[in-house]
Amino acid sequence: MTLSQVSSRIGALAAASVISATLLFVAPQAHAASSGPYYKVELAQPAASKQELLRSVFVKCEGTACRAPMASTAPKNMCISISREFGQVSAFSAGDRVFTAEEIAACNGNQKEVIAKN
């Protein structure tokens, strides 16, 4: 093995180490910064409970305002779950996406079906 081959292998190893260190320390920090409220909900009536575990994230409510971090579920499913657990939803957003009146009605429509079955 020549000196140039050794040098190129050491350079590749150094580059791989830098990339690994970057992913190890920077990537978790980027995720932590985005772990604030992703779902923002307004309820028609104040919530009876203050916090519930729904779809693997804690949904926290104060009065009619509820907040939750991003979950690994479709926004419509989160909206339905919140409606079932806390009551009728009057506004819902997931990140930058704001639900339309029809989408909110669909969330609340599923709540009425659950109430009718009980």
Side-chain angles (χ1 to χ4, degrees):
M1 189 179 283
T2 66
L3 185 58
S4 64
Q5 290 174 327
V6 171
S7 295
S8 66
R9 287 187 182 198
I10 290 175
L13 180 62
S17 297
V18 168
I19 291 170
S20 296
T22 301
L23 292 176
L24 181 65
F25 295 109
V26 175
Q29 299 302 321
H31 174 65
S34 67
S35 65
Y38 178 76
Y39 301 106
K40 296 176 183 165
V41 184
E42 281 296 320
L43 302 172
Q45 300 292 323
S49 63
K50 302 231 184 258
Q51 178 173 302
E52 293 292 331
L53 181 64
L54 300 176
R55 301 202 170 259
S56 74
V57 296
F58 280 102
V59 178
K60 297 177 184 178
C61 296
E62 291 182 19
T64 60
C66 299
R67 305 287 182 260
M70 186 186 304
S72 60
T73 187
K76 68 174 185 152
N77 293 335
M78 182 57 84
C79 184
I80 290 168
S81 295
I82 290 171
S83 175
R84 287 179 179 169
E85 187 64 36
F86 293 104
Q88 187 173 5
V89 173
S90 58
F92 184 89
S93 66
D96 293 336
R97 179 177 174 222
V98 178
F99 273 36
T100 65
E102 293 80 23
E103 290 171 313
I104 292 171
C107 292
N108 292 325
N110 286 314
Q111 177 204 21
K112 292 173 186 170
E113 292 172 11
V114 170
I115 292 171
K117 290 179 184 178
N118 292 333

